[in-house]
Amino acid sequence: MKIKRYQHVLLVLLVGLGAGAIWSQEAAQTRSLDAEGHQWWQHAVFYEIYPRSFADSNNDGVGDLKGITSKMAYLHGLGVDAIWITPCYPSPQVDFGYDVSDYKNIDPMYGTLADFDRMVAEGKKHGLGIIMDFVPNHASDQHPWFLDSKSSRTSSHRDWYIWRDGKGDGQPPNNWTSLFGGSAWALDPATNQYYYHLFYTAQPDLNWRNPEVEKAMLDTTRWWYKRGVAGFRLDAVDALYEDPDLHDNPPESETHGDPFLAYKYTIKRPENHEALRKIRQVADEYDAVLIGETYTRDINDLNEYYGSHNDGLQLPMDFMFTNVNKLSAPEFRHQIAGVDEAKGWPAFLIGNHDIVRSYNRYGDGVHNDAIAKLMGALYLTLRGTVIMYYGEEIGMENNDPQRIEDVKDPIGRVGWPKMKGRDGERTPMQWNSDANAGFSKREPWLPVPSSARTHNVAEESMDPNSILNFYKKVLALRRTNEALREGTYSALNEDDPNVMSYLRSYKGKAVLVALNMSPSPQKANLDLGNKGFPSGILKSLLATPLSSAKGSEVTLEPFGVFIGEVDKQLLKLDRDHCNIGRPATLRRDYAETNCSCHRHNFHPHPVHCLSEKTQPSRFRNI
Ligand code: GLC
């Protein structure tokens, strides 16, 4: 199993108007709360698109906005609710868009603002919101702000970045290091000062202590909201502020491998949260959602991102979930239980453009397709928002470069051969089995793996047992089943080392999810009575071919999935019959919806007290 290289790096180190406005106005109206007080984004599945790699409309080998627009029907059919597009602003592409040189435009390689507006409008037609990626921590060294900043020590943008004198003798101001390797300080010979860059040298950090920077960044978000975006994914939110006194970070010997401590004075400064609150205030003006790239150490750390009065990020991503890097029921259980008790709404993901694809991370080389379905069933049935990564739904795998000459990602170029970079998880979307997986008629910027011949949208659409069709079914279930949408999460059989099972319950209805995380067949007897569902009969909603339930015993094939509903009819009949029928035999030790008849008294057999077949018609179909 491969390691999550970039996440490892981050964890170890960082541990309009026009058509668009229509979406925001209308969406604001439709984004009312549901019966549970939930907002649209709480039920949503966001789909992350790496624009270079999704669909290439002009066949130049790099994806573009028109390409994305052409795939709206696919995304709608898949069953997602919104798209997050990683940066498509003008950029020298040193870090493939995370080095922005103009925050209010579209890079010509991806199209124009008019293409953007059309994409928003087309998304709206398909019920899909657009989330942009906002990079507030740093800009490109080619951004006019930085060009002016470095032009002289007295330029008007000088203080928009973090400039300091060196220690003399060619020594940088302190020992701070960059997440992309080496010192975090780069000398500008013309003005003989160093600028700070947490990431690549071409990505100088903006100075958030300067009110002009803060204003410019907040105005940027307003500008895009007016153009119709439904929110932002905020990049590197841990890193907005650094210690103004430039204390050295603790040396390796003192950090004991703690990635957060190693960056004590450069990430997770308390001031970050103040900036996030301000970004949120603007988001609230437009009823927009903020998703954060939040690498957190524990639940307390995650809680901080929600804000002390829920005035921080609505959806700080739970990267701790992605840290469970093996199929381990106890570990997932532990992690999910923690996040379920966090003070905000959970946001789950299993992959992104910085992490080795989940297909490789969890796959055992033999049952990879089954495991891909299992993982989809897991994170799409939890209580929380889901952020999918393009290609997960077809079982795309990493295609890592084999030679340094082929590496595009700066992390891979600097870190080779120890770190091969993130190219492997960013390869073109696999649409069909034609050349270049149907992504482009020209050789794409990154090569597709040979598995694209079988793992692609066209082939998988035709196979009822494909990963794609499985994902579609889970996504449809999540959308239509109230218990999956609104229900509480409650773990079952917590000592089972192999089968991860839980109940999602809502107003007397419940869905049970049972996932076999082992390579051998498993049975699990699930005590639903304990959870207030005494009838305990499961009706299959979605299961892998050899997985089923009898009563409340679930049989699962290796890496099998069973999702079943606790029979509503039975529960309702139980309750109503109890209410009408035989008060003397009632057990009222559950809440009203959990009322059960005293089975042995009522019925000669110790079976469920009512069933459609055995009951008089007046109790049916109530
Ligand atoms: C975030 C992005 C990553 C990028 C880095 C610097 O971690 O996800 O891709 O390299 O920020 O912007």
Side-chain angles (χ1 to χ4, degrees):
M1 192 180 294
K2 294 183 184 179
I3 55 159
K4 300 182 291 183
R5 282 182 310 265
Y6 181 64
Q7 189 192 12
H8 184 70
V9 172
L10 277 177
L11 283 171
V12 167
L13 303 171
L14 169 61
V15 207
L17 301 171
I22 301 168
W23 161 265
S24 64
Q25 285 158 10
E26 213 165 280
Q29 286 158 15
T30 53
R31 285 177 208 166
S32 50
L33 305 182
D34 71 5
E36 291 305 298
H38 289 158
Q39 311 207 41
W40 72 274
W41 44 263
Q42 293 183 271
H43 304 307
V45 174
F46 291 81
Y47 185 92
E48 180 191 349
I49 289 180
Y50 202 67
R52 293 181 72 87
S53 295
F54 196 59
D56 180 11
S57 75
N58 60 354
N59 291 306
D60 64 354
V62 174
D64 46 53
L65 298 192
K66 280 186 180 156
I68 297 174
T69 305
S70 72
K71 300 297 183 186
M72 291 294 179
Y74 167 75
L75 295 168
H76 174 74
L78 177 61
V80 300
D81 306 278
I83 321 170
W84 148 33
I85 304 177
T86 63
C88 51
Y89 315 105
S91 160
Q93 302 288 318
V94 171
D95 191 18
F96 300 110
Y98 284 97
D99 47 325
V100 179
S101 55
D102 180 355
Y103 282 97
K104 295 182 183 166
N105 212 334
I106 297 293
D107 194 294
M109 88 167 55
Y110 297 126
T112 61
L113 280 169
D115 293 333
F116 176 84
D117 292 342
R118 272 192 290 275
M119 179 179 72
V120 172
E122 195 64 19
K124 181 184 169 284
K125 273 195 217 153
H126 290 89
L128 297 164
I130 309 284
I131 306 286
M132 293 288 269
D133 205 316
F134 186 48
V135 190
N137 179 64
H138 48 272
S140 161
D141 62 354
Q142 298 307 305
H143 195 294
W145 297 338
F146 189 71
L147 295 177
D148 182 54
S149 184
K150 70 182 276 198
S151 65
S152 86
R153 286 194 182 206
T154 55
S155 74
S156 61
H157 288 91
R158 184 67 173 182
D159 191 41
W160 281 46
Y161 295 85
I162 298 159
W163 291 98
R164 291 288 190 281
D165 292 331
K167 281 181 174 165
D169 291 340
Q171 292 302 304
N174 65 10
N175 76 350
W176 293 354
T177 52
S178 157
L179 292 172
F180 284 6
S183 169
W185 296 100
L187 179 65
D188 169 49
T191 58
N192 197 27
Q193 274 195 317
Y194 289 80
Y195 67 87
Y196 172 70
H197 59 93
L198 179 62
F199 294 93
Y200 209 49
T201 39
Q203 296 167 293
D205 274 48
L206 284 154
N207 177 16
W208 271 79
R209 293 184 196 280
N210 180 338
E212 285 182 286
V213 168
E214 183 186 291
K215 182 174 179 313
M217 298 314 268
L218 297 181
D219 283 351
T220 299
T221 66
R222 271 194 196 92
W223 192 86
W224 284 103
Y225 292 138
K226 287 183 186 152
R227 213 161 186 113
V229 310
F232 285 101
R233 174 266 189 186
L234 302 181
D235 185 66
V237 290
D238 303 14
L240 301 183
Y241 286 85
E242 306 74 32
D243 172 26
D245 298 328
L246 263 54
H247 286 102
D248 274 348
N249 275 324
E252 185 72 25
S253 57
E254 283 171 27
T255 64
H256 306 294
D258 182 333
F260 296 95
L261 194 56
Y263 279 71
K264 185 173 174 188
Y265 294 104
T266 42
I267 64 165
K268 294 193 181 291
R269 306 296 300 166
E271 298 96 320
N272 288 341
H273 295 291
E274 189 47 40
L276 295 178
R277 263 192 295 281
K278 290 181 182 162
I279 297 175
R280 169 68 183 274
Q281 277 164 13
V282 179
D284 283 347
E285 291 168 22
Y286 297 88
D287 203 7
V289 62
L290 299 175
I291 304 175
E293 189 197 21
T294 42
Y295 285 94
T296 54
R297 185 202 305 251
D298 53 31
I299 300 298
N300 293 336
D301 195 9
L302 183 72
N303 276 338
E304 299 250 319
Y305 284 98
Y306 291 108
S308 40
H309 304 287
N310 272 322
D311 50 0
L313 302 174
Q314 292 106 321
L315 295 173
M317 292 188 210
D318 175 15
F319 281 102
M320 295 174 293
F321 189 75
T322 66
N323 280 346
V324 181
N325 227 351
K326 57 178 183 223
L327 286 181
S328 160
E331 283 189 38
F332 275 119
R333 222 177 262 136
H334 175 74
Q335 173 53 32
I336 294 162
V339 172
D340 196 59
E341 286 182 3
K343 61 181 221 193
W345 189 252
F348 294 105
L349 68 155
I350 55 175
N352 74 12
H353 63 282
D354 296 326
I355 306 176
V356 170
R357 282 193 174 269
S358 55
Y359 192 84
N360 300 77
R361 296 207 326 279
Y362 297 104
D364 64 355
V366 179
H367 306 90
N368 285 20
D369 286 9
I371 294 171
K373 293 176 194 168
L374 177 94
M375 288 307 295
L378 170 62
Y379 84 140
L380 287 164
T381 59
L382 294 174
R383 188 186 72 93
T385 298
V386 163
I387 304 157
M388 280 176 66
Y389 186 44
Y390 79 94
E392 229 159 50
E393 73 275 24
I394 50 172
M396 271 178 65
E397 63 175 349
N398 259 63
N399 193 23
D400 295 322
Q402 301 303 316
R403 311 176 310 168
I404 187 168
E405 306 87 277
D406 298 330
V407 178
K408 305 277 193 303
D409 178 19
I411 289 193
R413 289 206 311 272
V414 173
W416 192 271
K418 212 168 151 200
M419 286 188 289
K420 290 189 171 157
R422 299 160 290 178
D423 295 348
E425 54 261 32
R426 298 172 173 182
T427 58
M429 176 68 179
Q430 296 161 193
W431 294 106
N432 57 41
S433 39
D434 294 350
N436 308 320
F439 162 77
S440 176
K441 293 204 167 59
R442 218 187 102 174
E443 190 184 344
W445 76 290
L446 289 173
V448 299
S450 57
S451 59
R453 279 195 290 278
T454 49
H455 289 69
N456 63 62
V457 172
E459 293 287 323
E460 292 194 38
S461 297
M462 292 182 303
D463 172 3
N465 287 321
S466 65
I467 302 172
L468 177 60
N469 277 318
F470 187 85
Y471 257 77
K472 280 188 181 172
K473 285 179 203 154
V474 187
L475 283 160
L477 202 53
R478 182 188 157 91
R479 186 180 279 266
T480 52
N481 187 293
E482 268 194 309
L484 281 183
R485 255 199 346 264
E486 309 277 9
T488 54
Y489 165 89
S490 166
L492 296 167
N493 285 26
E494 292 185 71
D495 294 331
D496 194 318
N498 298 310
V499 178
M500 160 106 199
S501 51
Y502 45 92
L503 211 54
R504 299 286 317 281
S505 323
Y506 180 71
K507 291 193 175 163
K509 297 173 184 172
V511 168
L512 170 129
V513 180
L515 307 164
N516 182 2
M517 299 207 160
S518 83
S520 48
Q522 300 287 337
K523 277 189 192 303
N525 231 309
L526 303 162
D527 186 358
L528 299 175
N530 247 347
K531 298 287 175 187
F533 289 94
S535 86
I537 290 194
L538 294 165
K539 191 177 85 190
S540 176
L541 292 171
L542 175 60
T544 46
L546 302 177
S547 300
S548 59
K550 197 167 177 198
S552 51
E553 185 185 73
V554 177
T555 303
L556 295 160
E557 67 204 275
F559 303 109
V561 172
F562 177 87
I563 304 177
E565 193 166 39
V566 180
D567 194 298
K568 259 188 300 199
Q569 186 87 351
L570 284 169
L571 282 174
K572 193 159 172 36
L573 287 166
D574 273 348
R575 185 186 64 223
D576 291 346
H577 185 75
C578 290
N579 290 341
I580 301 162
R582 304 177 162 221
T585 64
L586 288 185
R587 271 187 12 200
R588 280 254 171 214
D589 48 352
Y590 296 109
E592 193 224 6
T593 49
N594 302 323
C595 157
S596 71
C597 298
H598 206 299
R599 297 170 187 183
H600 296 278
N601 292 349
F602 180 74
H603 200 282
H605 307 296
V607 294
H608 301 280
C609 55
L610 292 168
S611 79
E612 282 198 79
K613 280 189 190 138
T614 58
Q615 289 311 305
S617 59
R618 68 188 166 106
F619 296 127
R620 286 185 210 146
N621 305 318
I622 301 173

